[in-house]
Every structure is written in C-alpha cells, then in structure tokens.
Amino acid sequence: MRWLKENALALAFLVMFLLAVGGQAVAGLLQFNDTQLAEGGEPISFFRYVASSSFAVDVAENWQSEYLQFFLFIMLTVWLVQKGSPESKRPGREGAESDEEQQIGRHAEAGSPAWARVGGLRLWLFSNSLGLVMGGVFVLSWLAQSVAGQAAYNSERLGDLRDPVSWWSYVTSAEFWNRSLQNWQSELLAVLSMVALSIYLRQRGSPESKPVGAPHSATGVEG
C-alpha cells in the first residue's frame, strides 16, 4: 500500500493512458470498418487494425507532438523566464546554474546519484539526460509517424489507382505537415496557457500552482 501511495500519480496516468489507447483502438476500428463497408470492402479484425499503418500513424503523430512540447519546455526554461509563473525560474537565475546550485561534483550530497559526483562525459550525459530522452523520443516518434503515414497515404493512393510516393515526397507534402502542425499548435497553446494563466489563477494544493495567497509577481514558487 505504501508503494502504491508513493507512486499514485504515475500509476494513475499509466492507467488513464492505457484506457485511452484501448478506447482509441476500438473507436478507430469501428470507424475504419464503417469506411470499409461503405466503400465495398471487408471489415478487419481488431488485431489487424492495431498492427496497421492507419492506427500507427494516429498514435505516433500524437506522441511526437507531446514529446516535442515537453522537450521545448524543458530546454527553453533553462534560459527563458516568465515573471509571476510557477512554471519558470526566478528572473536572474537564467542558465545552467553553478555546480553548487546543481549539487554536482564536490557539492554532491549523501543521497546524490552516483553520476552527479563524477566529471566528464558521464556528468554531462546525466546533467542533460531528461532533455536528451525527451528529444530522442520526439525524433523516434516523428520518424515512426513519417513511415506509418507514408504507408497509410500510399494505401489510400493505391485505392484511388494513383502511384505511391516516396518517403521524402511524403514528409515534404502538405498531408504530412497538416497532420503535424495541427498537433503542434495545440500543444504549444496548452503550454502558453499553463505558463500565463498560472500567474493570476490558483489551484490550492497543486505543485503546478502558486500558494493561493502568493503575490501575482511571485515566480518559481510552488503551492
């Protein structure tokens, strides 16, 4: 029970994620089969659908936009600040900060991770590991979207008796960028809303909000 309590936030989002992916798969299958029947085709099974390029591209295009959002937010908040937002560092603390502030090298504490105590490449990798992983997942998701999207796009073209296109032609097409940008703009708007609205609005008890009584100008303060 203690383990569940200490990991409740991650577990809650994991359960919601699995339910959402399962729901998307079921709804997508129903929509796909409805289109198949309307066009005189045969419906397909659930397992064939979730292994299809049609399902893969829908999942990958959402994943890459989400990880782009977090990658940009993680990296930009190193150097950029927003006065009054709990999502920002305090003005004047822009940058990677000193070794003492980051508790690395000789400033490491008893409970600090082992790689925080060393220097060289290992320290650099650990110091930038969150951004590297988020950026890496974005790139991989983008590539997965492009490959699955090309396959789905060519399937539609072949159904219309048109020639398939190459990967390069697909990733430079309006089809690909329309799918990508419609997700990017919504993610960037969500981050902008969180950064700006948290200056003036509060949610009692949430670490994403300032304390209810904190001044609007308070920056980098969590409730």
Side-chain angles (χ1 to χ4, degrees):
M1 291 300 295
R2 180 180 178 182
W3 183 87
L4 289 174
K5 183 178 181 180
E6 291 177 345
N7 296 278
L9 185 59
L11 291 172
F13 273 97
L14 175 60
V15 170
M16 289 188 287
F17 164 73
L18 294 174
L19 290 174
V21 170
Q24 178 188 355
V26 172
L29 173 65
L30 294 174
Q31 181 184 20
F32 185 87
N33 282 339
D34 184 64
T35 302
Q36 284 285 96
L37 293 172
E39 295 177 350
E42 292 291 328
I44 63 175
S45 68
F46 175 81
F47 293 105
R48 184 179 173 189
Y49 174 72
V50 296
S52 69
S53 59
S54 179
F55 179 70
V57 69
D58 288 340
V59 171
E61 76 175 54
N62 283 285
W63 286 16
Q64 59 98 350
S65 63
E66 295 290 347
Y67 279 95
L68 174 65
Q69 172 199 69
F70 283 113
F71 172 71
L72 291 177
F73 190 64
I74 290 166
M75 301 309 296
L76 291 178
T77 51
V78 175
W79 301 100
L80 305 180
V81 298
Q82 176 58 57
K83 184 177 179 180
S85 176
E87 303 298 326
S88 166
K89 295 192 290 188
R90 294 182 179 89
R93 295 195 63 186
E94 297 89 342
E97 302 178 353
S98 67
D99 288 357
E100 182 177 4
E101 290 173 315
Q102 289 292 308
Q103 301 174 6
I104 57 178
R106 63 187 180 88
H107 302 288
E109 298 182 347
S112 297
W115 281 26
R117 303 173 183 276
V118 299
L121 179 61
R122 285 186 295 171
L123 178 59
W124 183 89
L125 286 172
F126 188 63
S127 299
N128 296 280
S129 55
L130 184 58
L132 289 170
V133 169
M134 290 292 184
V137 175
F138 161 68
V139 171
L140 292 175
S141 299
W142 184 89
L143 288 172
Q145 178 199 349
S146 68
V147 173
Q150 179 202 10
Y153 186 60
N154 281 339
S155 179
E156 292 179 4
R157 290 180 64 88
L158 290 171
D160 296 333
L161 302 180
R162 293 184 293 168
D163 292 333
V165 299
S166 66
W167 178 83
W168 179 251
S169 295
Y170 177 70
V171 297
T172 56
S173 69
E175 157 76 13
F176 177 78
W177 286 105
N178 179 54
R179 294 181 73 104
S180 295
L181 291 172
Q182 67 179 322
N183 285 284
W184 291 8
Q185 55 88 11
S186 63
E187 302 300 340
L188 296 174
L189 176 62
V191 174
L192 171 61
S193 300
M194 188 66 180
V195 169
L197 292 178
S198 60
I199 299 173
Y200 302 104
L201 306 179
R202 308 286 190 272
Q203 180 56 58
R204 183 170 181 169
S206 175
E208 301 305 316
S209 167
K210 292 183 286 190
V212 177
H216 291 323
S217 60
T219 308
V221 179
E222 297 179 345

